[in-house]
């Protein structure tokens, strides 16, 4: 395998993989010096068609805040979707983020006034969340998507590419 392909594939590998956000050891991350969380919205915090936070997510966000983390939602989705979800939670957000490009990640770190080594990225896609976070030197955590059935066309295409990349990486 060529060096370029190998280098790209390595950028798709998260630092940590969990089933859901609720499985993340937040206290351990805090003790390691992380102070901010950049999180995807759809299929990371709630299903892609869930309009609002679930009671379980509200409890998780409360714990996140009690520990001391700052949170910014960074989503490739449209303004209307992200605004309706994030505003009731009083969370800063970036919509149409164009992940994996670095601009939205940089903006989110600026909002929190944090450096890369203090920032965690949580998301459900290797090609957007993990690749974008790894390119910026952030600590990346991949969660399993909450509801695959609710995903749009481009996300389904990304999932097929991710599957192919995983097959290549296993060789």
């Amino acid at each position: 395998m060529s060096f370029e392909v190998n280098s790209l594939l390595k950028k798709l590998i998260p630092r940590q993989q969990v089933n859901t956000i609720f499985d993340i050891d937040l206290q351990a991350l805090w003790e390691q010096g992380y102070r901010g969380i950049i999180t995807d919205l759809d299929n990371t915090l709630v299903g892609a068609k869930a309009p609002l936070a679930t009671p379980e997510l509200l409890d998780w966000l409360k714990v996140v805040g009690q520990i001391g983390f700052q949170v910014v939602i960074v989503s490739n989705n449209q303004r209307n979707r992200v605004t309706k979800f994030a505003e009731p939670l009083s969370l800063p957000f970036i919509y149409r983020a164009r992940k994996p490009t670095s601009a939205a990640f940089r903006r989110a770190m600026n909002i929190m006034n944090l450096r890369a080594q203090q920032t965690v990225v949580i998301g459900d896609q290797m090609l957007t969340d993990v690749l974008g976070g790894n390119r910026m030197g952030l600590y990346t955590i991949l969660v399993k998507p909450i509801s695959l059935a609710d995903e749009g066309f481009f996300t389904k295409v990304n999932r097929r590419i991710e599957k192919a990349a995983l097959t290549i990486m296993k060789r």
Side-chain angles (χ1 to χ4, degrees):
M1 188 175 335
S2 77
F3 174 75
E4 292 83 22
V5 172
N6 210 12
S7 177
L8 174 64
L9 289 176
K10 281 184 179 155
K11 292 231 186 302
L12 293 175
I13 300 170
R15 297 274 295 276
Q16 190 180 342
Q17 228 172 323
V18 294
N19 287 327
T20 73
I21 56 167
F22 310 112
D23 299 318
I24 298 168
D25 187 340
L26 295 167
Q27 199 59 52
L29 290 172
W30 184 265
E31 288 166 11
Q32 292 167 38
Y34 295 102
R35 297 297 180 259
I37 296 172
I38 295 172
T39 182
D40 179 44
L41 169 54
D42 295 321
N43 274 337
T44 298
L45 297 179
V46 294
K49 293 200 171 139
L52 300 170
T54 62
E56 193 180 20
L57 176 61
L58 292 173
D59 291 344
W60 184 80
L61 287 168
K62 190 179 200 179
V63 171
V64 166
Q66 287 168 345
I67 292 172
F69 284 104
Q70 297 180 70
V71 178
V72 178
I73 295 174
V74 176
S75 174
N76 283 348
N77 211 324
Q78 303 300 312
R79 178 183 194 157
N80 197 28
R81 160 70 171 144
V82 185
T83 302
K84 281 183 178 175
F85 182 88
E87 279 187 348
L89 302 173
S90 299
L91 288 176
F93 60 90
I94 298 167
Y95 61 92
R96 272 198 224 130
R98 299 179 62 203
K99 295 179 286 183
T101 62
S102 57
F105 293 101
R106 203 171 291 116
R107 251 177 77 203
M109 286 189 297
N110 286 339
I111 289 168
M112 297 185 286
N113 197 25
L114 294 174
R115 297 182 316 276
Q117 55 270 38
Q118 298 173 291
T119 309
V120 173
V121 173
I122 304 170
D124 68 305
Q125 290 190 63
M126 293 166 58
L127 287 176
T128 56
D129 309 303
V130 174
L131 177 59
N134 283 344
R135 287 176 60 216
M136 297 286 297
L138 310 177
Y139 186 91
T140 52
I141 302 175
L142 182 68
V143 299
K144 289 186 177 163
I146 293 170
S147 178
L148 287 171
D150 292 344
E151 292 184 330
F153 173 78
F154 290 108
T155 303
K156 287 178 181 173
V157 170
N158 280 353
R159 297 265 181 237
R160 293 183 84 132
I161 296 168
E162 287 174 6
K163 193 173 180 183
L166 287 169
T167 301
I168 293 167
M169 284 189 266
K170 283 178 184 169
R171 289 185 193 156

